Amino acid sequence: MLGAPPVLPWAYRAVLVLLWGLTIWNTLACRGLFWDGSSFLVNILDLGRFHDFYVARAHVDWLTQAPVLLLSRMGLGDTHLLSMVYSATLFALPTGLYHLALARLRHDALLLGFGIAIVAVVYLPTWFFIVGEYNLAFAAVTAAVAIALTLRPRPVGDAAAICLLGVVSVRSYEAMLYLGPLVAAVLVWRLRRIEDRMARFLLAIGALGFLAGAVVGGATVVEYWTHPHFVKVRSTALDFWQNLQFAIPVAALAACALISLARPRWLQGRGPVFTMGLAMAALALTPWYRLLDPDSILYPPAQYLARQAAGVLLAAMLLAMWIHVAWRGRVRPLATLALPAVSRRLVLTMTVLMLAAAVPDLALTQLWWDYLERMRALVDSREGIVRGRTLPLLDWPDKLFAQEWSLPAMSAIVSRTPGRAYVRVDNDYLSNPPFDPACGTLPRLKGYGWRS
């Protein structure tokens, strides 16, 4: 209930401190350069304009690329600082929206538990590929639903925020094909329960924005259905299990959900805590699985494979939150979860899950930082084309981060004198083509350099 004291405020604050701490750490590590990020950044700097070739995601691209483009036009030539600014924008925007969502949900223990679960199971296991527009799209959808479910007595400000999120979501990501109608339905439901005309107008515009996002997403799917890259994306949609950071907690949550549907009272016992405890231990230990089995590794590209399943999971969680608010007490599993003792346990369990999810993320970021340092040392000590096949790029741990067609961009960004040396893999780009012809070429970056 709005106006009530926050539920488990220390858990809410701990999640935010951890989330923003990881965001700052990943910014310092320039993690926005991972895979497509390096190609995007060199195109922005070389061409002096937004890299928004994919119009269906243009709004997200404009938001995340504007700061680095502005600084480059102002004359900043340090690619290290520009990489951090680019990373900061990519991470801070979705993190800020998730912060907003948690702040709005914190007065209801069940809603807060679901909100923390979304951050721990949807955001963290897929954000190594932070350049993916889905990160901001998922955060915008979550924030919009959180605001709609907790609308204030004077709702004009809330409605304006939802309207803005709807406009951004028009061109954000293809997942809006199913997320857009869901958010629009929540807004229409809320629209019928408020009397302020301006708020109703803004909510209606927001709902239309999310529906427009669904239309744009659907048109994009139809247009690119036979495109080689899109065909490859479809073929890997069910490979989310390769992302251990996502698959382990999802398996535990799915088991809890299935059991609770059959026996809602099970949620009042120790079963859910025991199940999630096993999953959290397994998740926290993932960085060391390689010591037992060389093939059991944390693989950052697998986070890209899990994004589609993560979007479906997000839709299911948001739907459950809506049902909890709209039909409070009518759905037995949710009614059981809403009991004070059970909902507080849920918040505590999801907070610990968040801590467990941070362990593999920190481990991967440290390996990524070391990879950048090795790449810098390589290009600053060589001249001309460095053949990637002669390097240990497919060995541990560099194989976690190397992408053939983005290597020229990466080697140019981290160089003190871009253009002196490029790392390149001889490839016809038929088996693994860049989806944008501008990616995979040799960047110029005249006047730029990794100076700090």
Side-chain angles (χ1 to χ4, degrees):
M1 182 175 65
L2 291 178
V7 178
L8 295 178
W10 62 268
Y12 161 73
R13 292 166 187 159
V15 168
L16 291 183
V17 169
L18 179 59
L19 182 57
W20 280 107
L22 290 173
T23 295
I24 294 171
W25 179 249
N26 295 335
T27 294
L28 295 176
C30 300
R31 235 174 64 178
L33 297 179
F34 174 67
W35 269 33
D36 300 1
S38 57
S39 294
F40 283 20
L41 182 56
V42 297
N43 286 340
I44 294 168
L45 300 180
D46 267 347
L47 302 177
R49 61 174 183 265
F50 291 112
H51 181 76
D52 56 349
F53 74 101
Y54 200 28
V55 294
R57 306 176 187 175
H59 291 175
V60 172
D61 291 334
W62 297 343
L63 284 175
T64 54
Q65 296 172 14
V68 72
L69 180 59
L70 177 61
L71 288 175
S72 68
R73 289 184 174 180
M74 293 173 61
L76 179 62
D78 187 342
T79 52
H80 186 191
L81 291 177
L82 289 170
S83 297
M84 286 195 290
V85 170
Y86 189 39
S87 300
T89 311
L90 288 170
F91 279 103
L93 286 175
T95 295
L97 289 175
Y98 282 119
H99 183 159
L100 172 61
L102 293 176
R104 296 302 298 262
L105 301 174
R106 72 187 189 276
H107 296 286
D108 184 308
L110 178 55
L111 292 180
L112 178 61
F114 271 100
I116 298 174
I118 289 172
V119 174
V121 185
V122 173
Y123 188 35
L124 293 192
T126 60
W127 76 336
F128 209 99
F129 192 75
I130 193 62
V131 74
E133 294 88 351
Y134 63 85
N135 290 285
L136 186 54
F138 290 175
V141 165
T142 303
V145 171
I147 295 172
L149 296 180
T150 60
L151 214 62
R152 296 188 177 104
R154 295 182 179 180
V156 175
D158 290 347
I162 291 174
C163 179
L164 180 60
L165 292 172
V167 172
V168 171
S169 298
V170 172
R171 292 183 175 183
S172 57
Y173 204 71
E174 290 87 319
M176 293 305 299
L177 180 62
Y178 56 89
L179 291 173
L182 173 60
V183 181
V186 174
L187 296 180
V188 170
W189 165 79
R190 179 57 75 186
L191 190 65
R192 298 169 58 187
R193 288 162 173 78
I194 60 176
E195 298 180 357
D196 188 285
R197 290 185 178 180
M198 180 55 68
R200 289 173 61 86
F201 173 74
L202 292 172
L203 283 179
I205 296 298
L208 289 175
F210 285 105
L211 287 176
V215 173
V216 172
T220 304
V221 169
V222 172
E223 179 181 358
Y224 288 96
W225 187 258
T226 58
H227 189 281
H229 180 74
F230 200 89
V231 172
K232 184 178 181 180
V233 167
R234 292 204 312 274
S235 67
T236 59
L238 298 179
D239 291 341
F240 61 86
W241 58 269
Q242 297 180 21
N243 181 0
L244 296 178
Q245 296 164 268
F246 177 76
I248 291 174
V250 166
L253 289 173
C256 292
L258 291 175
I259 296 174
S260 66
L261 287 174
R263 296 180 57 193
R265 292 187 61 183
W266 181 77
L267 294 170
Q268 296 179 261
R270 297 180 180 180
V273 175
F274 178 76
T275 303
M276 294 306 303
L278 290 177
M280 288 184 284
L283 179 60
L285 292 173
T286 49
W288 295 276
Y289 287 174
R290 181 177 173 272
L291 300 177
L292 302 175
D293 182 359
D295 294 327
S296 298
I297 61 175
L298 294 175
Y299 192 49
Q303 297 200 2
Y304 176 75
L305 299 180
R307 73 200 186 283
Q308 297 175 33
V312 175
L313 177 62
L314 173 62
M317 289 186 172
L318 294 178
L319 179 60
M321 293 164 60
W322 181 25
I323 292 174
H324 166 65
V325 175
W327 296 278
R328 194 178 297 268
R330 299 182 187 178
V331 179
R332 287 191 63 193
L334 289 176
T336 304
L337 271 178
L339 296 174
V342 179
S343 60
R344 288 174 181 270
R345 194 181 305 133
L346 171 67
V347 172
L348 176 60
T349 303
M350 292 302 103
T351 301
V352 179
L353 177 62
M354 180 82 177
L355 293 172
V359 174
D361 189 75
L362 288 170
L364 282 176
T365 301
Q366 184 59 58
L367 291 174
W368 163 259
W369 207 315
D370 295 340
Y371 168 75
L372 281 188
E373 290 301 314
R374 285 192 294 275
M375 182 66 75
R376 285 182 56 213
L378 174 67
V379 296
D380 286 340
S381 63
R382 300 284 190 94
E383 292 185 5
I385 301 297
V386 181
R387 300 298 176 185
R389 297 299 183 189
T390 66
L391 304 172
L393 293 175
L394 299 181
D395 296 337
W396 175 269
D398 290 357
K399 67 178 181 180
L400 301 178
F401 310 111
Q403 183 189 48
E404 290 184 356
W405 55 262
S406 64
L407 280 174
M410 177 67 75
S411 57
I413 288 176
V414 300
S415 173
R416 286 198 300 265
T417 54
R420 178 182 175 183
Y422 293 104
V423 177
R424 188 173 186 179
V425 175
D426 293 327
N427 191 326
D428 58 6
Y429 296 118
L430 295 178
S431 59
N432 184 27
F435 48 84
D436 178 12
C439 297
T441 58
L442 298 181
R444 298 185 302 273
L445 292 184
K446 185 177 181 180
Y448 292 95
W450 192 281
R451 296 184 174 83
S452 56

